[in-house]
Amino acid sequence: MQRPSLIPFLVFLVSITVGFIVVWPEWKMVNELKEEKVLQEGALEDLKDTIANINELSNKYDKSEEDIDKLAIAIPSTPQIPELLIQVEELVKRNGLILGNIDFSVEGAKGEGSLRDEVGVIAINVSVEGTYSGLKNILNDIEKNIRLMDVASVGFSKIDKETGFSGYSISLNTYYSVKQ
């Protein structure tokens, strides 16, 4: 009887040993790379979400910039008395009234508080002559004017029998931003 040869057994042991020495570390590295790939894909998705959020915020900012521009017209950063004079004259003329007198009084921020120290007030006193419907129309236009104006008071005088006009005094307050 022949004895079984040890060569096949040794070849088997050597191949298992080589497998553990060479192949096993490579196998572990492939698995680690797969795990790293999954982590990187998750990070990529997070970055895509972040970019989408940034784009959304940028669009909101662009839209709000238009609103800020409108607000800057409604409550400018300076009193802008010449522009106010032109606006008031145009309102008077457009409504068929005759301008008598305009007085402006710039009052700085009033008092303390979150808004009171940030908003200055301009008091405007306007004397006009015209019809009652002209007065109603100018008050309506003041209400719709882009520059924020509050009517503080309206005074009346007798109707002139020759012209049919009454005299009116209108006291307005408008505002400007004190803080830049």
Side-chain angles (χ1 to χ4, degrees):
M1 239 188 191
Q2 276 189 351
R3 275 177 44 161
S5 169
L6 284 175
I7 294 178
F9 181 68
L10 287 175
V11 169
F12 178 71
L13 281 177
V14 168
S15 64
I16 288 178
T17 305
V18 168
F20 274 113
I21 293 173
V22 176
V23 175
W24 182 252
E26 294 297 321
W27 181 262
K28 282 176 58 177
M29 189 167 53
V30 166
N31 284 336
E32 288 173 3
L33 288 174
K34 285 182 181 178
E35 290 173 6
E36 182 68 24
K37 178 185 171 192
V38 169
L39 290 174
Q40 292 295 330
E41 286 174 345
L44 178 64
E45 287 300 317
D46 289 344
L47 286 174
K48 285 181 181 179
D49 290 342
T50 302
I51 289 171
N53 287 339
I54 288 172
N55 288 337
E56 181 181 337
L57 289 173
S58 176
N59 289 337
K60 285 182 181 179
Y61 175 77
D62 290 341
K63 289 179 183 175
S64 67
E65 202 169 312
E66 295 170 7
D67 294 337
I68 290 170
D69 291 342
K70 290 178 185 176
L71 185 60
I73 293 170
I75 303 177
S77 60
T78 61
Q80 297 181 346
I81 301 295
E83 290 85 352
L84 273 172
L85 176 63
I86 292 169
Q87 280 184 344
V88 172
E89 285 179 336
E90 179 60 30
L91 288 170
V92 168
K93 187 186 331 178
R94 184 177 345 148
N95 290 292
L97 299 171
I98 301 167
L99 181 61
N101 189 21
I102 299 178
D103 293 321
F104 294 96
S105 173
V106 178
E107 303 167 11
K110 289 185 172 183
E112 296 179 19
S114 61
L115 282 179
R116 290 184 180 190
D117 58 352
E118 295 180 14
V119 177
V121 178
I122 304 168
I124 306 169
N125 293 310
V126 182
S127 298
V128 296
E129 290 183 0
T131 63
Y132 180 72
S133 64
L135 174 68
K136 286 190 336 185
N137 290 337
I138 195 171
L139 293 175
N140 190 33
D141 283 352
I142 289 170
E143 178 183 1
K144 294 177 182 175
N145 193 19
I146 192 161
R147 174 96 185 237
L148 183 62
M149 293 183 186
D150 294 330
V151 176
S153 67
V154 177
F156 302 88
S157 65
K158 292 182 180 180
I159 296 177
D160 184 348
K161 293 188 181 192
E162 291 178 17
T163 62
F165 290 164
S166 290
Y168 304 103
S169 62
I170 305 169
S171 296
L172 304 167
N173 290 325
T174 188
Y175 308 94
Y176 66 99
S177 176
V178 176
K179 289 193 176 184
Q180 299 293 326

